[in-house]
Amino acid sequence: MITAIELGLVYAIMALGVYLTFRILDFADLTVDGSFTTGAAVAAISIVNGVNPFLATAAAFVAGLGAGVITGILNTKAHIDGLLAGILTQIGLYSINLRIMGAANVSLLREETLFSGLRSEGMLGGASWVGSLILLPVALVMLAIIVWFLHTDIGLAMRATGDNSEMIRSFGVSTDTQKILGLALSNGLVALSGCLVAQYQGFADVSMGIGIIVSGLASVIIGQAIFGRLTIFRAATAVVIGGVLYRVFIQLALMAGLNPNDMKLISAILVIIALVVPQMKIIKKVPTRFTPHWRTGKISDNVSAAELAAMTADNAALDDQAVENVAVVARARDNDEAISPGDTGPGDTGPGDTGPGDTGPKELGEERPPEGEERSC
């Protein structure tokens, strides 16, 4: 189980990359299967040739950035469908990865890697919790970087590109640039995860990335199905937790006696369950019972506008749209309370009033002439 948690923390970095494209950009990127192996291949061949493991890890990240840029250019500049662009890049990377490694498998068992010291001390691979405690800050640092980036101006533009590309384009933002940048960062994180997995396991294999997109989607969907995604911090944190839970579920399945050859099938079933269960009517009713009224828009008549403002200020995690919703509802209710039943609202023309288009003699000191008489000029 300790090994599953350690692997889950490493794979959580890959899940964050999938989150950027799947949730933020709303882009189905299949480059992941190829870029994961690319990171492992670059790191493995660099370490075998005597490169420092830290430099090899940085080189793997850069290689992943390049893979993402290729997919982005194919989609935005060559106008190839995003799904097809990812498939084309993935297929091309298979041959490139073989060229990089020079063989289908590269061993790192006798090489100096990032995990050599921990493994030699018996702190890795299920022997101790020390390995998990060391990998946890790594995953948390990557999580903090992603959350910080998505709150910068560039990150906000990227989020807007995924939500409404037409709207953000009208503000002068280049959506093509945002897509290329998002795909590059996503595949850079995926390649970084592949690099760490290769060093953790002690080898890089040309087929180690096959089906990795399913693992990434399972981590994203499972985590967000349990913890939700109301804010960026909550959604990204759920992805990291989902990555760990996914590996724990796989380990439990193996401990239950299931055939290791069925792991891909088990992964697919987990994704299906995570997608279907939240749609069930019984499950849908649960979160609404615990949703605050500032989320649902339903505000009790006993809550004043001042209390609404206080609740908004106290909730630091409240997103901008929710703040706007609260303000709109509060202003609308205050306007309704300011108009008594006997008063007339804006645009209301009473029996003795004149409307906006009325040209009757309703001026000061002027009286209407009796019926049947003409006014003298």
Side-chain angles (χ1 to χ4, degrees):
M1 189 61 67
I2 298 177
T3 302
I5 295 176
E6 292 174 351
L7 279 174
L9 291 171
V10 175
Y11 277 101
I13 300 175
M14 176 272 299
L16 286 173
V18 174
Y19 166 72
L20 283 178
T21 52
F22 183 64
R23 291 297 193 195
I24 300 301
L25 284 178
D26 194 21
F27 190 102
D29 182 26
L30 297 184
T31 314
V32 172
D33 285 13
S35 59
F36 185 86
T37 307
T38 300
V42 170
I45 203 66
S46 298
I47 291 174
V48 167
N49 286 282
V51 177
N52 184 279
F54 290 97
L55 294 178
T57 302
F61 178 75
V62 173
L65 292 177
V69 168
I70 293 174
T71 301
I73 292 176
L74 290 177
N75 175 245
T76 58
K77 306 304 180 183
H79 304 290
I80 299 176
D81 180 74
L83 190 64
L84 181 57
I87 293 174
L88 292 174
T89 307
Q90 171 196 340
I91 293 174
L93 285 175
Y94 186 86
S95 297
I96 293 174
N97 294 335
L98 279 175
R99 289 280 187 178
I100 293 173
M101 292 191 294
N105 188 287
V106 175
S107 176
L108 296 173
L109 292 179
R110 294 180 177 85
E111 305 294 338
E112 184 70 21
T113 66
L114 295 178
F115 301 104
S116 296
L118 293 175
R119 195 175 299 278
S120 61
E121 296 293 334
M123 300 179 181
L124 206 64
S128 171
W129 285 98
V130 176
S132 299
L133 295 177
I134 293 176
L135 289 172
L136 178 60
V138 176
L140 293 179
V141 167
M142 298 307 302
L143 170 64
I145 293 175
I146 293 299
V147 173
W148 167 81
F149 171 75
L150 292 176
H151 283 88
T152 62
D153 291 341
I154 298 178
L156 291 172
M158 187 179 297
R159 290 161 58 185
T161 300
D163 290 337
N164 192 333
S165 59
E166 296 293 336
M167 180 272 294
I168 194 62
R169 194 180 296 119
S170 67
F171 286 97
V173 176
S174 174
T175 54
D176 290 351
T177 301
Q178 293 300 322
K179 286 183 179 180
I180 294 174
L181 177 60
L183 289 167
L185 291 176
S186 171
N187 286 278
L189 291 174
V190 171
L192 177 62
S193 177
C195 159
L196 295 177
V197 169
Q199 296 181 65
Y200 179 90
Q201 295 179 341
F203 68 92
D205 190 87
V206 72
S207 62
M208 65 187 298
I210 296 178
I212 203 68
I213 183 63
V214 178
S215 301
L217 291 176
S219 302
V220 173
I221 295 171
I222 291 174
Q224 295 185 351
I226 298 175
F227 300 99
R229 51 191 179 99
L230 292 178
T231 63
I232 292 296
F233 175 77
R234 184 171 177 178
T237 304
V239 170
V240 174
I241 298 175
V244 176
L245 289 178
Y246 173 77
R247 288 295 153 183
V248 170
F249 292 155
I250 295 296
Q251 182 65 28
L252 291 176
L254 292 174
M255 292 173 62
L258 296 181
N259 192 330
N261 295 327
D262 297 331
M263 287 302 100
K264 300 298 183 184
L265 176 61
I266 296 173
S267 300
I269 293 175
L270 285 175
V271 174
I272 294 173
I273 293 174
L275 288 172
V276 173
V277 170
Q279 301 179 25
M280 300 175 63
K281 293 182 177 179
I282 298 178
I283 303 299
K284 281 184 176 181
K285 294 179 180 179
V286 174
T288 57
R289 295 181 180 274
F290 302 96
T291 302
H293 44 256
W294 45 263
R295 286 286 183 193
T296 61
K298 298 178 180 179
I299 300 178
S300 172
D301 293 336
N302 297 327
V303 180
S304 65
E307 292 173 334
L308 287 176
M311 286 187 293
T312 304
D314 290 340
N315 193 343
L318 191 63
D319 53 76
D320 296 338
Q321 186 60 44
V323 172
E324 183 179 352
N325 292 342
V326 171
V328 170
V329 174
R331 286 196 300 268
R333 199 186 63 188
D334 289 345
N335 290 338
D336 292 340
E337 291 175 354
I339 301 173
S340 61
D343 297 334
T344 57
D348 189 6
T349 57
D353 298 332
T354 57
D358 193 355
T359 58
K362 186 68 175 179
E363 300 178 1
L364 183 62
E366 185 177 0
E367 298 180 355
R368 291 179 180 273
E371 294 184 2
E373 297 183 6
E374 296 182 356
R375 290 180 57 186
S376 59
C377 296

